[in-house]
Amino acid sequence: MESEDSVRLRLEELHKDLGKKQRFEEAVSTIISLLQDRYPTASPSLRKSFYSVICRVATVLKTRFTAPGFWLSGLKLFEFSLSLLSEHSERQHLQACVAQAKEILHQIDNPSPSPESTSNGGYLFEGHLTVDPEPPQPQWLVQSNLLTAAAAALSNAESSQSPAENSNTSETVANILQALNGNFDDVIDGIINFETDSGTPKVPPASKEVVAKLPVITITEEVLAKLGKDVQCAICRENLAVDDKMQELPCKHTFHPPCLKPWLDEHNSCPICRYELPTDDHKYESWKEREKEAEEERKGAANAVRGGEFMYI
């Protein structure tokens, strides 16, 4: 039987092979065989080496090799690894990898229909039929339309003398009020989500257009040597390797593109320095501009006070 040092060297070679498209699937298959043969009796340090190479598979799938065949190989590895690994944090990560692989393979097998293929593919806008489906109405507009309909129904009821018509109108108003009540919770949630208890708005996701234009760089031997051997993506904590694709924020910090997008959707700030990207939310951007102006006024007032103090000294 091979010594643990020999297995560790093989894992390091496989780690490199995972970056080569023509050898990726063979490397994954070899990792599964090694897991089956050596993981149950492996030392804690060797188990960490196994987990590291499994994480590398996940990173390569998310950043480079996205074809269905590669994802199928990765899914097989992740599911097999789950039957062996026992550490809670490692199992959580693998469960997330399994879920992502299944989701991606499902999307490939069941692509969503294009707008042109749907029966209600467009809507009339300024005299022209659009290609995309009509976007959902904002909740405030839904509420306004329901209130208008309720008012109109009550007005008709007042002018009507027929008991039958009054009965139909009462039923209509009841239905409108029920719909109004159903939408009310959504509107309140929107208000609560926009402002916290301190009056500071919740930061919306980063602008999709801005994120799409962020530069993508490829890690080379020279770049890796400059960054250091153990440099990581600050989001997934995976060590960087040669040929990794990294997306660069204006603050010059870089992250794996598949890691960065969901992070910016939820937090919209650099995980390292908290640099904030522009959003598509005009209300939030207006608030931010007002805060900036108010901060400048506060600084100006503070400087004026300090200047006055110096005059009286």
Side-chain angles (χ1 to χ4, degrees):
M1 182 180 288
E2 288 181 282
S3 66
E4 287 207 345
D5 287 339
S6 299
V7 176
R8 195 172 285 106
L9 285 173
R10 288 187 68 189
L11 289 175
E12 289 176 5
E13 291 171 3
L14 290 166
H15 195 284
K16 295 175 184 176
D17 289 344
L18 291 170
K20 301 169 185 175
K21 200 168 189 177
Q22 67 274 19
R23 304 187 69 173
F24 178 85
E25 291 175 274
E26 181 185 349
V28 171
S29 180
T30 304
I31 294 167
I32 292 174
S33 297
L34 283 173
L35 276 167
Q36 188 172 14
D37 294 340
R38 301 304 304 269
Y39 191 89
T41 58
S43 65
S45 63
L46 183 57
R47 289 189 173 194
K48 287 296 180 185
S49 297
F50 270 113
Y51 179 66
S52 176
V53 80
I54 294 168
C55 290
R56 181 62 187 161
V57 172
T59 300
V60 171
L61 283 172
K62 289 187 287 185
T63 59
R64 298 173 65 188
F65 308 150
T66 57
F70 297 125
W71 276 106
L72 281 170
S73 296
L75 177 60
K76 185 177 178 182
L77 171 64
F78 302 147
E79 289 181 328
F80 183 74
S81 302
L82 266 176
S83 67
L84 295 174
L85 274 64
S86 57
E87 189 170 320
H88 181 65
S89 61
E90 294 179 353
R91 288 184 60 82
Q92 275 190 319
H93 182 223
L94 282 174
Q95 286 166 351
C97 291
V98 168
Q100 184 178 22
K102 287 182 176 180
E103 181 183 357
I104 288 172
L105 289 169
H106 176 74
Q107 289 173 353
I108 293 170
D109 292 337
N110 302 281
S112 57
S114 62
E116 292 86 347
S117 65
T118 57
S119 57
N120 57 342
Y123 67 103
L124 198 62
F125 179 70
E126 294 185 352
H128 300 280
L129 187 65
T130 66
V131 174
D132 295 326
E134 185 173 6
Q137 291 182 336
Q139 287 297 329
W140 65 265
L141 183 57
V142 174
Q143 292 284 75
S144 176
N145 291 340
L146 288 170
L147 286 170
T148 302
L154 289 171
S155 177
N156 290 337
E158 289 177 0
S159 61
S160 172
Q161 300 298 320
S162 167
E165 288 183 14
N166 280 334
S167 176
N168 290 336
T169 301
S170 298
E171 185 178 349
T172 301
V173 171
N175 290 336
I176 291 171
L177 291 175
Q178 186 176 0
L180 189 63
N181 183 56
N183 282 275
F184 187 71
D185 289 340
D186 294 333
V187 175
I188 293 300
D189 286 344
I191 295 170
I192 292 172
N193 286 335
F194 183 77
E195 292 194 4
T196 62
D197 292 338
S198 64
T200 303
K202 181 181 178 183
V203 182
S207 166
K208 292 181 180 179
E209 184 179 355
V210 171
V211 174
K213 290 181 179 178
L214 291 175
V216 176
I217 61 174
T218 302
I219 299 294
T220 61
E221 293 279 5
E222 293 77 14
V223 172
L224 196 60
K226 190 182 295 184
L227 293 174
K229 183 182 177 182
D230 296 325
V231 67
Q232 298 177 328
C233 169
I235 299 174
C236 69
R237 297 297 180 183
E238 171 72 11
N239 285 349
L240 304 190
V242 175
D243 292 333
D244 272 5
K245 302 290 184 186
M246 302 295 288
Q247 204 158 18
E248 186 178 70
L249 290 175
C251 58
K252 300 304 179 183
H253 293 126
T254 59
F255 312 90
H256 292 128
C259 300
L260 184 60
K261 187 184 181 305
W263 177 274
L264 291 177
D265 284 344
E266 185 174 352
H267 304 286
N268 188 20
S269 64
C270 172
I272 298 173
C273 68
R274 303 305 174 191
Y275 174 89
E276 189 177 302
L277 290 173
T279 74
D280 293 323
D281 190 319
H282 299 301
K283 186 175 181 181
Y284 175 76
E285 291 300 322
S286 297
W287 174 86
K288 197 162 63 171
E289 190 63 32
R290 290 194 304 271
E291 280 297 298
K292 183 180 177 182
E293 292 173 0
E295 181 61 26
E296 289 175 357
E297 289 178 4
R298 285 193 291 269
K299 286 180 180 178
N303 289 335
V305 169
R306 282 195 292 269
E309 289 174 350
F310 287 129
M311 287 178 66
Y312 285 104
I313 291 175

